[in-house]
Amino acid sequence: QAELVESGGGLVQAGGSLRLSCAAPGLTFSIYAMGWFRQAPGKQREFVATISRNGGSIYYADSVKGRFTISRDNAKNTVYLQMDSLKPEDTSVYYCAAGFHASTAVSFYRYWGQGTRVTVSS
């Protein structure tokens, strides 16, 4: 079972920035597309961003487009999510996931991390 470990969450004021990281030490990282999702209390898990195996294809949810940037470093088995201009509505638990396709759908991802909490205060 592959392990994905997120880090970088925390408390930030609106307008601030955070950078999330997701390390996958035991995964054959370069063969997987990587995605970021988030889930707020009482809500379904929703797509945030995804990046293909070689980084050539990237997709964002409309709600984060222009504010968030996904990237990956295959040499370090790590995917990142740079979050700028944060809003209170970005408050959520953020999860990284690995799958065979850069999809916006939860069901396409095979491995999931435990999540890291992001809280944006107004």
Side-chain angles (χ1 to χ4, degrees):
Q1 182 73 12
E3 181 182 26
L4 305 181
V5 182
E6 302 97 336
S7 61
L11 173 63
V12 63
Q13 287 189 332
S17 297
L18 283 174
R19 188 193 196 203
L20 305 184
S21 298
C22 172
L27 194 68
T28 309
F29 189 75
S30 61
I31 72 171
Y32 288 96
M34 299 298 295
W36 285 98
F37 290 77
R38 64 188 183 186
Q39 188 167 18
K43 295 189 176 181
Q44 288 190 331
R45 192 165 296 190
E46 65 174 3
F47 168 74
V48 175
T50 186
I51 185 168
S52 61
R53 304 171 192 178
N54 63 2
S57 296
I58 290 175
Y59 305 101
Y60 295 99
D62 288 343
S63 59
V64 307
K65 203 171 292 183
R67 300 187 298 120
F68 290 11
T69 303
I70 189 171
S71 62
R72 65 187 295 159
D73 185 337
N74 285 353
K76 295 183 179 179
N77 278 29
T78 302
V79 62
Y80 305 97
L81 186 68
Q82 176 66 41
M83 305 188 296
D84 299 318
S85 302
L86 282 161
K87 304 175 181 180
E89 51 263 44
D90 294 318
T91 295
S92 197
V93 177
Y94 284 73
Y95 298 89
C96 70
F100 289 115
H101 303 283
S103 172
T104 62
V106 169
S107 60
F108 274 76
Y109 290 85
R110 182 173 185 181
Y111 300 112
W112 291 84
Q114 295 299 307
T116 185
R117 186 173 301 276
V118 172
T119 302
V120 184
S121 63
S122 56

